Structures are given as structure tokens and as C-alpha cells.
Amino acid sequence: MSKTEQVGRDVEEYFQERGPTVTFSKLRYSVQERRLCCKRGPEKYILKDVSGIMRPGMNAIMGATGSGKTSLLDVIAGRKDPAGLQHGKVLVDGRVVTSELRLTSAYVVQDDILMGTLSVRENLLFSANLRLNPKHHSSEDKNSRVNTIIQDLGLTDCADTKVRWSNTGCISLTLQQHLMSMTEFPLLGKTVIFSIHQPRYSIFRQFDHLTLMHKGEMVYAGGAQHALEYFTNLGYQIEPFDNPADFFMDITNGEAKSTSELQTVRTSLLYNGKNTLATTYCQSHLHKKVLEELDHVDKSIAEGAEGQNKPAEYATSFLYQMRVVCGRTVRNTLRNPQTSYAQLALNVFFAILVGLIYYQMPLTLTEGLQNRSGAFFFLIINMVFGNLSAVELFINERAIFIHENSSGYYRTSVYFLSKIFGDLVPNRIIPIFLFSAIAYYMMGLKPAFTAFLCFALTMSLVSLAGVGLAFLVSASVSSFAMANILIALPFVFMMVFGGFLVDLNGMLSWLSWLKWISIFRYGLNAAYINELTGQFFYSNNTVIPGEVFLESQHIDYSTWGFWQNQVALLGIVLVCMILAYIQLRRINRWK
């Protein structure tokens, strides 16, 4: 065996014995104020040359608000925008951390980010189905694990209650106990890293490793049980019955005074712009020992362990993710009456209303043409503006999507396609066909079944085009107010340039191009061609073919003339959907 292979094997065995070990060296992270997508102002460093080692066990990062503890945790977890990392690197078991760490780790946020229409058990099972490989874990195994977690977290009474009505926000203390139990046994090999502000003593005494942060710098990193001794040696004295966590916070905040004359001078300098507690720590044997170990890891990687890096993969396949995520989407739709049953009922009601208003339209002039023109315009307005609710789709679930996608639950494409198959088909296409069937025959349009199918296809494509634009807006913005503005403006412009309200042939040439992107124009033209071709209208003893009206409107009523409108609508749908997917991938997932 060569020296390189031996070194690589030694490093691998070292990490396997100790479990997952996280190392980070000389992390320097900065942020810069942005205004109108441009960076302005000086850079502000929120982490300043931070180095450390996190081994299996409970690794706590403590500090006051703004100390950099959460930023350090996010950088370690690969959740922080890499553009702000000016220097340094993070390694897990000697491998460089990338965004793929989300596929092999779990990130627990402070606030609940769960699907409110699902129960506690269903949310946990959803996570288990996507994070546990089905080749290695059966359904019974997943259910057993979910039941165990429910019992450990004390959620038995509300396990089958929907999250929106259950009190799941009060389990953090229980969760801490559960994480502690995961680190007690070496065979489990769990490395738990968390940020905490000021824990009570019963929690603090369970910490294995403590990192204290102040103004972006470390002021202590080592065993939690040795932290009190460290600061005592610096001249700080803890009061009887005082909580060590409170004592450490008083030190970093400057409220605790050192009995050492030298340290008192240093502490006074802390609030004159110099963090001398951090300087003292950098000169301590603790920090030097950490640097020596980090140097050893760097050399080991350079000599042979670097080639062992393998790209992380999702725990489940694309098709398996589709089945699980689509199932949740359908379940969420069915449990939201306002987006499922109400949508269907509204379409039926509106179809009956339109059918009664334009009931059995005659073929006499001029009411026959006028009523048909008004009915088609009215129907297309309903198809387009009736899909304004789709603008809420990605906005409502934006936080859930970012959390789950960043945690490696599923691919972005899976989430997007689940919305198409689980929301678009049942909520947009099926109700439209039902709407068309009721309104079409009540209005007395062409009785031929093929004409009805063409009418239903036109209404469906008009509806999908409106949904596609709503999807694009929903994926691009995060607020309802902005979304409503961005979706209403193009719909209004499309309506104006649809050919019903304004004569497009007499329009200014520099504005006439807008008709080519009008959903209303293609929908109206297709509806006119489908109904008027081969139709005859009567006025006294005069018979006028419907083609005369089409020619007067400069509408091509050939076979291709009809289908080119369908192709145009389908093109709008595809373009909007593709852009919506691109926008979904571009959503900022960094913290």
C-alpha cells in the first residue's frame, strides 16, 4: 500500500471512529447593502477569521443578538450565500461543504414551516418518505420511526390533528432532549450543532462543546464544562447560584468585571472598538490546539484524502418524489374547499348563468351575431380573470418550498410538476370542460360534437394561458400586493388588444404588435371560426354566411387559420410555464 493510500485510509478510519466531524477555518463572511439590485455602501464583516472543530455530541453556539452565531451556523450548514464568503472553508469528514450537504444532513428551523392542511403524523411521514431511501427502509419501518418521534416529542394527543390547529410550536424543549438522546450513544454518531441565545442551566449542562461569539469573533471554543474555568482564570468570578450561561453573556456584554487588573484594562478596550476577549482567546492554548488540528486535517487532505469526494445524491428517485409530492398536493387541494370544491361550484354556477343570459341564441341578424360576440368575449374574460387565484400558488407555499428544497427533500422540477398535475388538472382543466358542456348547449351553439370539442379545447387553452402567466408572476414575487399588480396589467392590455374593444386594423402601427401576445385575440378568433364557419344567418329573405363576418374582421377561417390560434395559445402556455420554472429555480434560498 502506498503512502498516499495509507494516509487516506487513516483519515477515513479517524473520522469513522469519531463519527461526522465538522471543521471550519478562517471563515470571513461579509454582507453589503443592496439598493435596486446594486451593491452600495461598505462591506460589513459578520464573521471575522473564525475557526473551530465540531465533533459528535451537542455543539452549542452562544452569543448575544448580532454576535454572528446564527450566521456561523448557516455558513457551516451551507445555507449562507457563498458570494459573501471572502475567505475560509468548511469541511465535513475532510470533504468540502457545498450546497449538497442538504442531502446528507437535517436543518431544524426555529419556526414551524409545515403544510397546515396535513396532520402532524402526515407531515412527519412526508419527510420520512423523501429523506429515507425506500430500498433500505420499508413503509412499516418509516411508520415505526414516525410513531417513535411522535412519542418522544410528546405529540401523541395531537398526532392526527391538522398542523394549523395543533400546538406544535411548543416542542422545542422536548426536541432538545430528543437531540441529546441521539448523541449519547457512539454508534449513532450524530453531530448536533445549534445556536442558542441564553439557555437555562438544565439545558446548558447537557452541552458537550461550547462556542461563544461576540461581534463576529470567537471569545471561547472548547468543552462546555471547561468554559467556567477558562473565564475564572481570566479574573472573572461567577456569583453563587448564578447560571453559567447568564454569566458568559454578562462577560461578553461587558456587564461582568474582571478582578484581574490587566483583564480589566482589556475589557475596557472591548467597547472602544477592540474585541480583546477575542484577542485573548486567539492567544490561548485552546485556539492554538484547534489550529494545529486544522492544519493536520489540511495536510491529510492534501496528501490523499481529497480524491474520496463523491457527489451527494437524493435519497429517493425522481419518480418516487413525484408520487409523494403529487399525493400531498392533491390532499392539500381536497382539504382546501376554497380552491377545489368552491372552484368547481363557481364554474357550474357561472356556466348556468351565462347559459340563461344567452339561452338558445337565434340565427337572425343582427342579434345572432351580436349575442355570440358578446357571449364569447364574456366567456374568455371569465376564463382569463377567473384564474387570478393561481397567482397565490407559489406565494402561499414559498417558505415551505424553500425549506424543503434547501433540505434536500425533492428536486425543484418535482415540485413544479406536482403543481401542474396536482393543481392544474383538477382545478383548471376538469372544471373548464364541465363549464363548457353546460354553457355550450344552453347557448344553442353548433350542435356538432366536434364543434363542442373545439370550443372546449379553446376555452381550456385560454384558461391555461392565463394560469401560465399567473404561475410566472407567482414564482417571480413574494408578496400578494405586487403579484396582483403584475398580473392585472398584462390581462388588461391583452383585453384591450384582443380585437373586441378596439379595431386592430386602425390601431397605431407602433402599438399594433401587442395583439400578437393577446390571449383574448387568439381565444376570440378561435371561437368565431369554430362557430361561424358553415353557419348561416337570416334577415328577412336574406341569407348571410358566417364567413362574411369573419372576412370583415380579417380573420383567416381556413383549417390552419383555426389551429394557428390553438398553437399560439399553447405557445403562450409553454413559454410562461418554462419561465415560471426558471424563476422558481432562481428563488433566493440563501439566508
Side-chain angles (χ1 to χ4, degrees):
M1 182 180 293
S2 65
K3 179 180 179 181
T4 299
E5 292 174 340
Q6 181 62 47
V7 170
R9 182 173 178 181
D10 290 344
V11 172
E12 183 178 2
E13 290 178 352
Y14 170 82
F15 284 126
Q16 286 179 348
E17 291 172 0
R18 301 293 187 92
T21 300
V22 180
T23 61
F24 50 96
S25 59
K26 299 180 180 179
L27 296 180
R28 191 180 308 146
Y29 195 92
S30 66
V31 293
Q32 194 170 12
E33 184 181 1
R34 284 180 177 269
R35 291 180 182 175
L36 297 177
C37 300
C38 299
K39 292 184 177 180
R40 295 186 178 183
E43 290 184 330
K44 179 182 179 181
Y45 283 91
I46 56 178
L47 292 179
K48 307 171 185 177
D49 295 322
V50 177
S51 302
I53 300 175
M54 303 289 189
R55 295 185 174 85
M58 298 289 285
N59 298 269
I61 304 175
M62 280 179 54
T65 302
S67 62
K69 61 180 184 299
T70 304
S71 297
L72 175 58
L73 181 64
D74 290 337
V75 170
I76 293 174
R79 300 287 180 123
K80 208 75 172 171
D81 188 351
L85 188 61
Q86 304 294 327
H87 187 268
K89 59 185 176 182
V90 181
L91 306 176
V92 175
D93 282 357
R95 296 178 176 85
V96 177
V97 166
T98 64
S99 59
E100 291 180 337
L101 178 65
R102 63 197 171 98
L103 304 179
T104 57
S105 64
Y107 188 91
V108 182
V109 295
Q110 182 176 357
D111 300 320
D112 294 334
I113 303 180
L114 301 169
M115 186 68 72
T117 55
L118 303 186
S119 67
V120 174
R121 187 187 306 279
E122 288 171 335
N123 273 291
L124 290 173
L125 190 58
F126 176 81
S127 177
N129 283 330
L130 293 175
R131 297 304 300 271
L132 299 177
N133 193 325
K135 295 180 180 179
H136 304 145
H137 302 276
S138 64
S139 298
E140 293 76 12
D141 181 28
K142 295 174 184 177
N143 281 295
S144 176
R145 292 192 176 206
V146 168
N147 290 332
T148 301
I149 291 175
I150 288 174
Q151 292 176 1
D152 290 344
L153 297 181
L155 299 175
T156 305
D157 293 338
C158 60
D160 297 308
T161 304
K162 292 181 182 179
V163 168
R164 66 170 63 160
W165 294 306
S166 64
N167 187 23
T168 58
C170 302
I171 64 172
S172 60
L173 297 175
T174 311
L175 178 61
Q176 193 272 337
Q177 293 286 345
H178 183 62
L179 293 176
M180 179 64 185
S181 67
M182 295 171 62
T183 65
E184 289 178 347
F185 304 99
L187 291 177
L188 293 177
K190 303 299 182 183
T191 302
V192 180
I193 307 173
F194 59 96
S195 67
I196 192 166
H197 181 69
Q198 207 164 345
R200 65 175 185 264
Y201 180 68
S202 61
I203 294 178
F204 176 81
R205 66 182 180 181
Q206 299 180 29
F207 298 168
D208 297 307
H209 185 276
L210 175 65
T211 299
L212 285 176
M213 299 290 297
H214 182 71
K215 292 187 177 181
E217 297 179 280
M218 279 187 178
V219 297
Y220 175 80
Q225 69 275 20
H226 301 308
L228 195 58
E229 178 185 357
Y230 172 81
F231 285 105
T232 301
N233 293 336
L234 294 182
Y236 294 97
Q237 296 296 325
I238 186 172
E239 297 292 333
F241 307 108
D242 194 4
N243 180 4
D246 297 335
F247 175 59
F248 299 146
M249 295 300 294
D250 290 341
I251 293 175
T252 57
N253 292 334
E255 297 175 7
K257 303 301 181 182
S258 171
T259 56
S260 169
E261 183 178 351
L262 177 60
Q263 188 62 29
T264 302
V265 176
R266 288 178 174 176
T267 304
S268 65
L269 291 175
L270 175 63
Y271 296 94
N272 290 326
K274 296 182 180 180
N275 192 343
T276 53
L277 282 175
T279 303
T280 302
Y281 168 70
C282 289
Q283 296 172 352
S284 68
H285 71 283
L286 291 174
H287 184 67
K288 292 178 181 178
K289 184 179 179 181
V290 168
L291 293 181
E292 290 175 359
E293 292 191 43
L294 291 174
D295 185 58
H296 171 70
V297 172
D298 289 340
K299 289 181 179 179
S300 299
I301 293 174
E303 292 180 13
E306 188 175 13
Q308 299 174 358
N309 287 353
K310 295 181 181 179
E313 298 179 353
Y314 285 93
T316 54
S317 65
F318 175 86
L319 293 178
Y320 188 86
Q321 291 178 7
M322 279 294 298
R323 182 170 69 84
V324 175
V325 180
C326 280
R328 185 182 70 168
T329 302
V330 172
R331 191 178 296 113
N332 179 55
T333 300
L334 294 176
R335 293 179 183 178
N336 268 318
Q338 66 272 21
T339 61
S340 53
Y341 306 112
Q343 185 86 5
L344 185 62
L346 187 62
N347 273 280
V348 172
F349 171 78
F350 193 76
I352 295 175
L353 179 64
V354 172
L356 291 175
I357 294 174
Y358 296 100
Y359 185 73
Q360 297 298 312
M361 291 182 290
L363 292 174
T364 56
L365 292 176
T366 57
E367 60 268 25
L369 282 175
Q370 181 180 352
N371 287 351
R372 281 168 171 79
S373 297
F376 293 154
F377 183 69
F378 196 43
L379 290 173
I380 290 174
I381 285 180
N382 175 63
M383 292 298 103
V384 175
F385 284 93
N387 290 299
L388 286 175
S389 61
V391 81
E392 302 177 355
L393 195 64
F394 296 126
I395 297 177
N396 275 338
E397 298 182 8
R398 195 180 188 90
I400 294 177
F401 165 70
I402 291 176
H403 171 68
E404 293 177 345
N405 184 252
S406 299
S407 299
Y409 281 47
Y410 46 70
R411 299 163 176 84
T412 303
S413 57
V414 167
Y415 178 76
F416 184 75
L417 291 175
S418 75
K419 291 304 174 188
I420 292 179
F421 296 127
D423 181 88
L424 204 63
V425 174
N427 282 346
R428 315 293 170 183
I429 296 180
I430 294 177
I432 296 305
F433 270 86
L434 182 60
F435 170 88
S436 300
I438 297 173
Y440 187 85
Y441 290 105
M442 286 188 68
M443 290 189 297
L445 300 178
K446 268 186 179 180
F449 184 66
T450 54
F452 162 71
L453 291 179
C454 290
F455 175 82
L457 175 65
T458 300
M459 294 298 106
S460 297
L461 287 176
V462 168
S463 177
L464 290 178
V467 171
L469 190 57
F471 270 31
L472 175 57
V473 172
S474 182
S476 302
V477 298
S478 57
S479 67
F480 290 116
M482 182 60 69
N484 288 329
I485 293 174
L486 292 180
I487 194 63
L489 284 178
F491 279 172
V492 170
F493 273 99
M494 287 180 181
M495 182 172 63
V496 171
F497 292 94
F500 184 84
L501 300 177
V502 178
D503 180 12
L504 298 178
N505 298 315
M507 190 175 295
L508 294 173
S509 58
W510 60 278
L511 283 176
S512 61
W513 65 271
L514 290 171
K515 66 183 180 183
W516 300 108
I517 60 172
S518 173
I519 299 174
F520 289 82
R521 175 176 177 267
Y522 296 118
L524 278 172
N525 286 354
Y528 280 141
I529 296 170
N530 183 60
E531 173 64 18
L532 300 183
T533 303
Q535 194 81 279
F536 295 94
F537 294 87
Y538 304 91
S539 177
N540 296 326
N541 296 325
T542 305
V543 179
I544 301 177
E547 287 83 355
V548 174
F549 174 79
L550 296 176
E551 290 175 356
S552 68
Q553 297 296 315
H554 303 281
I555 297 175
D556 180 7
Y557 55 87
S558 64
T559 301
W560 169 241
F562 172 78
W563 287 106
Q564 69 180 356
N565 293 292
Q566 314 296 334
V567 172
L569 288 172
L570 183 61
I572 293 174
V573 173
L574 293 177
V575 169
C576 288
M577 289 296 184
I578 292 172
L579 291 177
Y581 174 68
I582 292 173
Q583 287 296 93
L584 205 60
R585 290 188 63 90
R586 293 182 65 249
I587 286 180
N588 184 17
R589 294 164 174 78
W590 307 113
K591 298 185 70 176

